[in-house]
Amino acid sequence: MLEVDVTTSLGALTISAAIRADSGITAIFGPSGAGKTTLVNMLAGLHRPEQGRIMVGGKVLFDSQQQIDLPPEQRRLGYVFQESRLFPHMTVADNLSYGRRLVPKGVAGADYDAVVGLLALTPLLDRRPKTLSGGERQRVAIGRALLAAPRLLLMDEPLANLDVPRRAEILPFIESLRREFGLSIIYVSHNMDEIVRLADQLVVMAEGAVVAQGPMAEITARLDLRPLTGRWDAGAVLSTKVAAQDERDQLTRLSFQGGDLWLPRLDLAIGAPLQIRVRARDVSLALTAPEDISVLNVFAGEVMEVGEDDGPQVDVLVDIGSRLWARITKRSQRELAILPGRKVHVLIKAMAVDRSGLG
Amino acid sequence: MLSPLEIEALSLSLKVSLWAVAWSLVPGVAIAWLLARREFPGKALLDGIVHLPLVLPPVALGYLLLVLFGRHGPVGAWLHDWFGLNLVFSWRGAAVAAAVMAFPLLVRAVRLSMEAVDQRLETAARTLGAKPARVFFTITLPLTSPGILTGVLLAFIRCLGEFGATITFAANVPGETRTLPLALYTALQVPDGEASATRLAVISVVLAIAALVASQYLARQVARRIGLA
């Protein structure tokens, strides 16, 4: 879908990124100043790389060797900015149609009514951007980009200016974009909760360089990336499917590679895919299978890696079919001799799984 | 209420000012755009030339126009030979003088307003598939319209009051170049002219105030209509 290999310098920082992304949602994660926005601007044609090549869906947008450098209007990459950038002198309807009128003949664009319906924009059509809330503005901005029939949608911290309830309001819309329109998205964020919920693939950037890229679960399980990804309350990502609903006990069973997980009831259909984040501090370890305890989720596994940390605690990577992080004290680690290869039992408290990471 | 001579001076003033502003509008917006959005060698020089009429004595400017556009001046001779146009002693000359004097006010207002247009909106339009020219006409220009309106009205008011450059370049010809200020000046030159001078002064004041009030009202309306206020 996307093949990028570009270099540019921005002041003292050299940004050099080689990325391959498949279709779906690819998150670019990193601290501020890592060069995420500059990378996206290079894709969009708003910042010219010193050298390199950008290819989207088989079409070369930039190639310094062949001297190809398409202007932004010919790249057809939808861009949703952090500050929605709606045109203040136009109504919502005119904003939405702006790019739609410019779609080249022969390119199938998204259906106007479908986009307006999906993003719930019908009641807003006659209004001016000034009268909209932050969340409404971002929805219009997403719709406007979508209607320009983009090859790929770029989203640069689209939720950063919104408060938490508004974010929760927009996230389902972004999730549905891929589902309804089969659109691939590059999603820039420094918020791991959003990324866990949305992304299939993760690109980690730091100081202008790509440190790691790959499937979400794989990248979040890597210990060497902990200094970067660990900034957000460390944890591992599990890809699950809703397997069953227990109405009596108000619980939901999620199945994943390695077993079944019981969580407080989620309002989702059976079979719905769901990525969840299990925080390391909500996972404990035991040497023997515990009996008569209140914890619902117990899995047998094997220790793969033990982290090094200056503090009193240590993170342990355990393979239970999928990979999970457990955060335990150094004393427990010593007394239980938790070392790579050790067979352990992993305990996850059902109530602990962070709801903000859930769909 | 008004004497035929007063009506003649008033309507001539309006005609000269309207034409002066009409001729300045497109070049004024173009130069404002160059100054607001482009970097090029000689930008400071262009900026200086545009602002020259603000700092030069109007009579000096009128004389410069006479040298350039007079019957034997380089531009004037060309205009005469090719188009049979004579600016000196004609209302067109008065309009040229007024336009040149008012030009910096127009450019300044448009430029300030254009600089205030968020360039990130222009980039957003590019990513939606708009070429630079379309971005200018659909984003930049509409968002600059309050500034254009302000500039046009300021320039118009400035044209109404133009005296020095007009009398030097286009001379004081009744019915042709004798606008309100020139008529007022002429009235003061004849004995017992104070009464008609006072009447002309009052007309000038009323006209200027009316134009100012109209400009503020219209600017507010436009700002509201494009969703800025």
Side-chain angles (χ1 to χ4, degrees):
Chain A
M1 182 66 217
L2 173 70
E3 276 184 63
V4 188
D5 187 354
V6 283
T7 306
T8 191
S9 42
L10 196 70
L13 182 70
T14 299
I15 295 166
S16 182
I19 292 173
R20 291 181 67 98
D22 299 327
S23 52
I25 301 184
T26 303
I28 300 181
F29 174 78
S32 26
K36 305 186 296 287
T37 298
T38 309
L39 174 64
V40 173
N41 282 344
M42 285 192 279
L43 298 183
L46 305 179
H47 182 111
R48 196 197 162 118
E50 273 153 30
Q51 53 176 325
R53 190 176 150 85
I54 298 171
M55 213 166 92
V56 174
K59 167 103 178 160
V60 177
L61 305 182
F62 179 85
D63 191 323
S64 55
Q65 278 178 356
Q66 294 181 54
Q67 308 215 322
I68 296 173
D69 181 12
L70 294 186
E73 64 268 22
Q74 284 175 29
R75 297 197 178 197
R76 296 208 358 261
L77 301 185
Y79 200 149
V80 178
F81 302 89
Q82 183 174 335
E83 354 72 39
S84 54
R85 301 200 193 180
L86 299 182
F87 305 133
H89 56 302
M90 300 181 190
T91 61
V92 167
D94 289 339
N95 268 283
L96 289 173
S97 327
Y98 192 88
R100 187 172 135 86
R101 287 198 210 101
L102 303 172
V103 175
K105 282 204 179 74
V107 174
D111 180 54
Y112 182 82
D113 293 328
V115 171
V116 168
L118 179 80
L119 294 166
L121 298 175
T122 313
L124 308 179
L125 288 175
D126 292 331
R127 289 177 47 193
R128 293 288 184 133
K130 214 172 74 77
T131 67
L132 303 179
S133 72
E136 289 168 337
R137 264 181 224 152
Q138 280 311 61
R139 262 155 54 203
V140 176
I142 292 169
R144 184 177 70 173
L146 210 57
L147 287 167
R151 296 188 165 96
L152 176 73
L153 193 60
L154 310 171
M155 304 183 99
D156 185 11
E157 305 259 9
L159 306 183
N161 285 348
L162 306 179
D163 52 25
V164 175
R166 295 273 160 262
R167 287 183 192 194
E169 176 192 310
I170 304 274
L171 275 169
F173 289 117
I174 300 178
E175 282 178 321
S176 55
L177 293 185
R178 172 181 40 174
R179 204 172 53 232
E180 304 290 323
F181 298 105
L183 197 62
S184 288
I185 301 176
I186 301 292
Y187 190 93
V188 172
S189 180
H190 60 248
N191 181 324
M192 216 9 131
D193 284 330
E194 284 166 33
I195 290 179
V196 165
R197 175 149 170 191
L198 294 172
D200 309 304
Q201 304 155 81
L202 181 60
V203 176
V204 181
M205 283 188 78
E207 286 165 27
V210 171
V211 191
Q213 54 183 313
M216 275 297 293
E218 192 179 296
I219 301 297
T220 48
R222 272 176 57 182
L223 189 66
D224 57 320
L225 298 173
R226 181 50 57 81
L228 292 164
T229 53
R231 230 168 50 93
W232 53 283
D233 218 7
V237 172
L238 291 180
S239 295
T240 71
K241 270 203 166 72
V242 178
Q245 300 280 10
D246 185 332
E247 297 298 339
R248 189 178 57 126
D249 294 340
Q250 297 280 300
L251 293 173
T252 295
R253 183 157 61 91
L254 302 174
S255 68
F256 66 99
Q257 240 185 336
D260 287 334
L261 188 68
W262 286 98
L263 291 186
R265 192 180 138 66
L266 298 165
D267 200 12
L268 288 170
I270 306 281
L274 183 66
Q275 276 194 135
I276 60 163
R277 180 159 69 89
V278 182
R279 283 180 298 199
R281 62 175 158 89
D282 297 327
V283 178
S284 13
L285 300 179
L287 291 185
T288 53
E291 285 168 20
D292 306 329
I293 62 165
S294 66
V295 175
L296 282 174
N297 302 300
V298 181
F299 307 94
E302 184 180 320
V303 173
M304 304 193 60
E305 222 175 328
V306 176
E308 281 172 36
D309 212 320
D310 292 336
Q313 69 218 353
V314 67
D315 285 345
V316 179
L317 182 64
V318 190
D319 187 0
I320 58 168
S322 297
R323 291 168 181 200
L324 274 184
W325 285 101
R327 177 167 294 174
I328 59 176
T329 60
K330 281 193 175 148
R331 176 184 289 173
S332 310
Q333 190 238 336
R334 195 178 56 242
E335 287 174 358
L336 300 177
I338 305 268
L339 293 166
R342 183 93 159 148
K343 302 282 186 205
V344 291
H345 287 84
V346 175
L347 287 66
I348 306 168
K349 218 176 156 181
M351 300 306 289
V353 175
D354 194 356
R355 250 226 85 112
S356 69
L358 298 175
Chain B
M1 201 174 115
L2 295 180
S3 75
L5 276 178
E6 284 165 354
I7 290 172
E8 185 184 83
L10 177 61
S11 55
L12 188 62
S13 266
L14 291 173
K15 173 175 159 188
V16 163
S17 304
L18 280 173
W19 278 103
V21 171
W23 291 338
S24 326
L25 188 55
V26 172
V29 171
I31 287 176
W33 178 78
L34 279 177
L35 293 175
R37 285 283 192 266
R38 291 283 142 176
E39 291 305 321
F40 53 92
K43 183 172 169 175
L45 184 69
L46 177 66
D47 200 11
I49 291 174
V50 166
H51 282 93
L52 207 56
L54 272 188
V55 289
L56 219 57
V59 179
L61 202 105
Y63 179 67
L64 273 177
L65 287 176
L66 197 56
V67 170
L68 274 176
F69 291 94
R71 186 74 162 68
H72 302 290
V75 186
W78 180 79
L79 281 176
H80 179 81
D81 293 347
W82 284 88
F83 301 101
L85 256 177
N86 240 336
L87 292 182
V88 183
F89 305 123
S90 111
W91 68 267
R92 290 187 187 84
V96 167
V100 171
M101 289 306 297
F103 200 63
L105 294 176
L106 175 67
V107 171
R108 222 181 154 73
V110 177
R111 177 189 179 174
L112 282 176
S113 171
M114 208 172 265
E115 280 171 346
V117 172
D118 191 345
Q119 279 179 272
R120 294 176 306 174
L121 296 176
E122 296 169 357
T123 357
R126 294 285 301 276
T127 66
L128 289 166
K131 292 196 178 76
R134 178 179 286 269
V135 173
F136 177 77
F137 285 108
T138 57
I139 308 294
T140 319
L141 204 57
L143 289 175
T144 310
S145 55
I148 295 176
L149 189 77
T150 308
V152 160
L153 283 154
L154 270 178
F156 181 71
I157 293 168
R158 177 69 188 79
C159 288
L160 286 178
E162 215 315 292
F163 176 77
T166 309
I167 202 165
T168 317
F169 175 49
N172 188 356
V173 184
E176 190 68 31
T177 71
R178 186 174 289 171
T179 55
L180 274 175
L182 271 68
L184 179 49
Y185 169 78
T186 311
L188 287 174
Q189 300 304 303
V190 297
D192 305 323
E194 281 90 351
S196 59
T198 309
R199 285 176 61 88
L200 286 165
V202 169
I203 295 171
S204 301
V205 168
V206 170
L207 192 59
I209 290 178
L212 266 178
V213 170
S215 105
Q216 280 174 2
Y217 172 77
L218 284 172
R220 256 205 313 278
Q221 290 294 312
V222 168
R224 192 168 299 154
R225 258 203 50 207
I226 65 166
L228 290 181

